[in-house]
Amino acid sequence: SLKRCCIQELPRTLILHLKRFEFNLDTMRKQKLNQRFQFPERLNIRKYTKAGQKKEEEETQDEAKQNKSPDPAVMLSTSSESSSSLADELTIDRDDESSEFDYELVGVVVHAGVADAGHYYSFIKERAGSRVGDDNGSGDGQDDGDSEESRWFEVND
């Protein structure tokens, strides 16, 4: 028996929330998890969608028909005991011809403080063609090409 959750329809904007707090049974208090967490700037979520899981099942069945047993390490790659980082698992698959499953990171919200108190601030990625303070004289809002990458801004009151 297999129980799982999957995404049926992809949203235009995907928001992921990480639970970075837990209850400590020794101290009987909430505590914040402060371990470093890395995530990719580009994300392919195909394997978390209904279509992606269906394709994966078909590939597994095809392997079984060809008398090839699937590699257990591949099948368990999404478990929390995996040796690869979450960033490695979620990185974009460049061999995939479809980009409908791809998302680009445009913002991050950060909590500074402890489990019961603190402050939130964010990092926002500048949109292409909307340079803050860019006055190339055209008035069209287009980037003049001086920079290849968008800038990140910290928003903190």
Side-chain angles (χ1 to χ4, degrees), residues 22-33:
E22 69 181 9
F23 190 76
N24 185 327
L25 293 173
D26 294 331
T27 62
M28 300 302 285
R29 300 184 76 160
K30 287 188 294 184
Q31 69 182 30
K32 181 177 174 187
L33 303 175

Side-chain angles (χ1 to χ4, degrees), residues 63-78:
E63 285 180 5
K65 287 179 184 177
Q66 296 173 3
N67 292 330
K68 292 182 182 176
S69 60
D71 183 2
V74 173
M75 294 178 67
L76 297 175
S77 66
T78 59

Side-chain angles (χ1 to χ4, degrees), residues 16-24 29-39 86 108-117 120:
L16 301 176
H17 179 267
L18 305 176
K19 182 181 173 227
R20 302 285 290 164
F21 301 96
E22 69 181 9
F23 190 76
N24 185 327
R29 300 184 76 160
K30 287 188 294 184
Q31 69 182 30
K32 181 177 174 187
L33 303 175
N34 288 309
Q35 294 87 353
R36 180 176 171 85
F37 182 81
Q38 292 182 334
F39 43 86
L86 181 61
V108 177
V109 177
V110 180
H111 179 264
V114 295
D116 294 322
Y120 288 94

Side-chain angles (χ1 to χ4, degrees), residues 37-66:
F37 182 81
Q38 292 182 334
F39 43 86
E41 287 196 37
R42 305 228 354 118
L43 175 69
N44 182 291
I45 63 164
R46 168 176 256 159
K47 69 181 181 179
Y48 304 104
T49 64
K50 189 174 185 180
Q53 289 180 358
K54 182 178 179 181
K55 183 177 180 181
E56 189 175 306
E57 286 173 0
E58 290 170 356
E59 289 171 356
T60 303
Q61 289 173 359
D62 289 345
E63 285 180 5
K65 287 179 184 177
Q66 296 173 3

Side-chain angles (χ1 to χ4, degrees), residues 77-88:
S77 66
T78 59
S79 76
S80 59
E81 300 298 319
S82 174
S83 61
S84 65
S85 70
L86 181 61
D88 291 338

